[in-house]
Amino acid sequence: MANSKWSHTALLVIDMQNDFILDDGLMRVDGGKAIVPNVIKTVEMARQRGILVIWVVREHDPQGRDVELFRRHLYLPGKVGPTSKGSPGAELVDGLVIKEGDYKLVKTRFSAFFATHLHSFLQTAGIHSLVIAGVQTPNCIRQTVFDAVALDYQPVTVIVDATAAATPDIHLGMCSLVIWIHCCVMQIFMF
């Protein structure tokens, strides 16, 4: 049963896709595979509490026409680029499943808010606070968190052991940074 305490909260699960998580992923984040069990647990806990689960994924045009300039070289003719729409690399990693009532948001940049309808969707749903899980802390997690703070979501919580970066030092450094902008950082057992 949904708990009214959580009715204005959404969980953003960011970029938990094969190309970011699997050992042979085209944009593999070294710490990504280790957090999969905690991301699964975070999603389960959110659903039990009636928290809206939003799957934020990258899906790019197979020709790379919507990719940042610095990544366009990865989308050459005859080559499948990272998280190309319809490719196995764009699929959620095993164990993570979009269920009825969840929402999928496609992005093409670091922030889940940039050039998407996420803010409008959250406002319409009455969401005021966000919980963040996924990869990668210095890029998509950080940028989404900073934009959420700029848009006055309160609180914004990063689940430190359900997020990851290329190294533990980078990850912890980025988690320290979001504390400076008055976000919450907690381990899954505190959630």
Side-chain angles (χ1 to χ4, degrees), residues 162-190:
T163 51
T167 71
D169 287 342
I170 292 171
H171 177 61
L172 293 176
M174 287 299 110
C175 288
S176 297
L177 181 63
V178 300
I179 292 171
W180 282 98
I181 60 167
H182 303 284
C183 293
C184 302
V185 174
M186 65 176 61
Q187 291 180 312
I188 193 170
F189 79 90
M190 299 166 71

Side-chain angles (χ1 to χ4, degrees), residues 56-91:
V56 179
V57 298
R58 271 194 182 248
E59 284 183 5
H60 290 292
D61 172 75
Q63 295 177 15
R65 294 174 290 193
D66 59 357
V67 177
E68 299 98 331
L69 289 175
F70 73 91
R71 291 187 184 180
R72 293 237 170 116
H73 69 282
L74 300 171
Y75 297 80
L76 300 174
K79 182 179 177 184
V80 177
T83 65
S84 289
K85 187 172 184 166
S87 72
E91 294 174 8

